[in-house]
Amino acid sequence: MKTTSRKRLLISSVAMLLVAMLALGTATFAWFTTDTTTQATGISVQTSKKSLLLVSSRTSKWTDNLNYNFGTDTAKNLLQPASSYDGANWYKAQADNGLSGAAKNGEKITGVGTPDAEGNVFCNMLNVKNTGAEPAKNVTITANISETAVTSGKNYLRVALVPSDCLEDTGRNAATVASAEEFRNNIYGAAADAANPVEYVGKSVADKKGAIKAADSVVSTKGSSISVNAGTLNKDQAKYYMLIVWFEGQDEDCQDTYAGNEMPNIKFTITADK
């Protein structure tokens, strides 16, 4: 009888230990949650004055020194995690299972591209125009992406510089990415990460809430060095790009444990051959 009681006690103890381990694992790997806060700092761009190239944002005038005024080193903007598979429809969600991280229900982020959505996604434009009398050849936009990680190697910052569907200045206010494929092919990050971003599987992407899932295929970043070639710009010709910054909620490193990563000021430089 004593032996049987001891066996039962041992089995009960092991069972309780497994339950405790499962609870610990769930707490440790619960990523893409509303408690995760991350930070971003100011973004600025400038051109080489010799090239007679000017830059603009979605609403600014054409200038040779553009500052988006999105946070500073001393007053950083907070960005909650977000995710998108096409660059046009963005979502935030709470992970249903802390072990898998895949969110099945979420909320669409409305107003992306306006200040209303800048708590999750910074979305603006980086446009370049040749104001010189001669064609500007090999116009190139370059930048380096860096991320200050709370835990070494845990990076989940994303920066996309994507051709837009805008063809002239009057279309800047309503511009978006040229295509979902262009978006996925022009994502950069501080690490060579890949994730299964969120896509919508509900009745309509116009719905604010509904069923979402992780996409079937992963999206890899192109690395930390941005180099986008706009080709040759003739006199008064412009090229229009979407500039998007976010922290990828579906990245396996985007966990509460690693919250607080920062993006130091990113500087874009636009040059052309003389």
Side-chain angles (χ1 to χ4, degrees):
M1 292 291 291
K2 291 183 178 180
T3 301
T4 302
S5 296
R6 288 176 180 174
K7 286 183 178 180
R8 289 178 178 174
L9 181 60
L10 178 60
I11 292 173
S12 298
S13 299
V14 171
M16 290 300 294
L17 177 60
L18 290 174
V19 171
M21 290 176 64
L22 178 60
L24 178 61
T26 301
T28 302
F29 294 97
W31 49 279
F32 199 37
T33 69
T34 55
D35 292 332
T36 300
T37 54
T38 46
Q39 301 180 346
T41 186
I43 304 169
S44 62
V45 296
Q46 68 178 21
T47 67
S48 170
K49 293 185 178 180
K50 293 181 180 178
S51 66
L52 295 177
L53 295 173
L54 297 182
V55 290
S56 72
S57 65
R58 188 185 289 276
T59 58
S60 73
K61 296 180 179 179
W62 292 95
T63 177
D64 62 1
N65 196 338
L66 174 65
N67 194 319
Y68 292 93
N69 295 314
F70 186 69
T72 65
D73 288 338
T74 56
K76 299 178 178 64
N77 283 32
L78 288 175
L79 290 179
Q80 298 287 345
S83 189
S84 175
Y85 190 66
D86 58 14
N89 298 288
W90 292 83
Y91 302 93
K92 54 185 175 181
Q94 180 92 14
D96 296 285
N97 184 326
L99 295 175
S100 70
K104 295 180 181 178
N105 290 280
E107 181 178 350
K108 186 173 183 179
I109 302 171
T110 58
V112 173
T114 70
D116 293 340
E118 286 185 353
N120 292 92
V121 183
F122 171 82
C123 180
N124 209 305
M125 298 187 75
L126 172 52
N127 312 309
V128 56
K129 181 179 183 179
N130 176 26
T131 60
E134 299 296 327
K137 299 180 179 180
N138 195 32
V139 176
T140 305
I141 304 170
T142 59
N144 289 313
I145 306 300
S146 59
E147 181 176 0
T148 304
V150 171
T151 302
S152 179
K154 303 301 181 181
N155 300 290
Y156 41 94
L157 171 71
R158 300 289 188 270
V159 178
L161 185 59
V162 191
S164 79
D165 61 359
C166 182
L167 299 177
E168 55 186 15
D169 266 17
T170 54
R172 281 191 285 166
N173 191 51
T176 186
V177 296
S179 68
E181 184 178 8
E182 287 277 19
F183 169 72
R184 293 191 291 270
N185 289 337
N186 289 279
I187 297 175
Y188 302 82
D193 296 325
N196 293 67
V198 161
E199 62 180 346
Y200 194 84
V201 293
K203 294 182 179 179
S204 168
V205 294
D207 296 339
K208 291 184 178 181
K209 295 185 178 181
I212 58 175
K213 71 169 186 176
D216 295 330
S217 58
V218 299
V219 175
S220 298
T221 61
K222 295 184 68 174
S224 60
S225 298
I226 294 178
S227 181
V228 175
N229 192 293
T232 298
L233 296 180
N234 295 319
K235 176 177 170 56
D236 294 328
Q237 184 181 2
K239 288 284 183 71
Y240 302 89
Y241 295 88
M242 301 306 301
L243 172 60
I244 311 171
V245 178
W246 75 102
F247 289 98
E248 178 54 61
Q250 292 289 83
D251 190 303
E252 62 181 11
D253 287 338
C254 190
Q255 304 177 14
D256 290 351
T257 306
Y258 310 133
N261 283 15
E262 297 180 8
M263 180 186 73
N265 190 47
I266 178 172
K267 181 178 179 180
F268 292 87
T269 302
I270 299 91
T271 60
D273 291 345
K274 295 181 179 180

